[in-house]
Amino acid sequence: MTVSKTAEKSSEKPADAAKGRKDTGEPQAEALQLGELSEQLGYVLKRAQLKVFENFLRCMASLQLTPAQFSVLLLVEKNPGRNQTEIASTLGILRPNFVAMLDNLESRDLCARIRSTNDRRSHILVLTDKGKAVLARAKKLVATKHEARLNDLLGPANRESLIEMLSKIANEF
Amino acid sequence: MTVSKTAEKSSEKPADAAKGRKDTGEPQAEALQLGELSEQLGYVLKRAQLKVFENFLRCMASLQLTPAQFSVLLLVEKNPGRNQTEIASTLGILRPNFVAMLDNLESRDLCARIRSTNDRRSHILVLTDKGKAVLARAKKLVATKHEARLNDLLGPANRESLIEMLSKIANEF
DNA sequence: GATAATTGTTATGGACCATACCAAATATCG
DNA sequence: CGATATTTGGTATGGTCCATAACAATTATC
């Protein structure tokens, strides 16, 4: 049981040992200067992404869904009857790596592979009833506990603006 | 040398086989619906981060610097005389994983470990002359080829706004 | 009907991340 | 002072994610 304990301690937040501590009077070494790093797109982007994923996992702890798994369920629900290759490639997942992922979801009875009658090579993907139910609960958790945090932090207008800019980067950079 | 070839082919861009292709008239299956996925913060954030890192690596191909290595050089330059633990923890890198990274940079004569005279346990980190020169060139490449792209894509005002919002998320989410 | 292409899969290796543990050096405290 | 605890850099190790090669079954192509 070392893993679960590890997840809570998390990896010591960067610049935390240096920045955000109350001065207790000890002769602590001065904090490091981030310098130009705090203006680097990649740096701040990666940092933000880690924080968001971390928060996502906490919010979904009761359902045991990772961001990747959630995205698969969302996509399968929106596009029922597609095969593994289509779902995987749309998410940027390579087919070999998608196999274990589906094995997991299927073993938990969240989705199912069905041999296509048209093309007996391919597996059609469908959400099970349990999968639909879990996804519905997941959506609510994400909306109320996760995405809501963004509104609290940035406000609705900025939130929309942020998503839009990130989409633009993801598609046109 | 399979790695470098791999980096160029990249992993097939998501939603590319479905979205951005000219209609050639073939009876292609219709594109998948992204649905709520395109509004998910984590999804679009991760996607954007991958694109940005990918572009960063291309821009730095001549210098062979990864984003992580670049951040180390930047931080050491800004904070000379700090030891491994301080630099690593500020960047969110665990000490054990920082060792190989420094071995690499040191073997390329970009930075050096110096035994501290005060505390003979710790290694003070310094950029070598070559390290300073390489970093200077790296900064120019990043500014002109990488970060400039963001201005072209979003405009200066939005760029600033984006960085600010991402910083806020990284620090307060 | 022979050959090529596609689908799901296995095996495998690399990159990155996290933990446990160790020796040397230092700090702490009786 | 000396025993004990802490810190630092390091090794070993395992997990997860990502990418490639190769394969059998099936389908498409010519």
Side-chain angles (χ1 to χ4, degrees), chain B residues 6 11 83-85 96 113 121-123:
Chain B
T6 318
S11 58
N83 65 25
Q84 296 185 197
T85 297
R113 297 183 238 225
R121 287 171 298 185
S122 59
H123 289 168

Side-chain angles (χ1 to χ4, degrees), chain A residues 63-74:
Chain A
L63 297 179
Q64 285 289 298
L65 284 182
T66 68
Q69 290 168 337
F70 180 66
S71 70
V72 169
L73 295 184
L74 266 185

Side-chain angles (χ1 to χ4, degrees), chain A residues 22-45:
Chain A
K22 313 289 184 284
D23 193 326
T24 51
E26 292 121 29
Q28 58 201 211
E30 310 113 61
L32 296 216
Q33 297 297 325
L34 267 268
E36 319 162 57
L37 216 48
S38 47
E39 291 289 327
Q40 288 291 324
L41 172 64
Y43 178 75
V44 67
L45 195 48

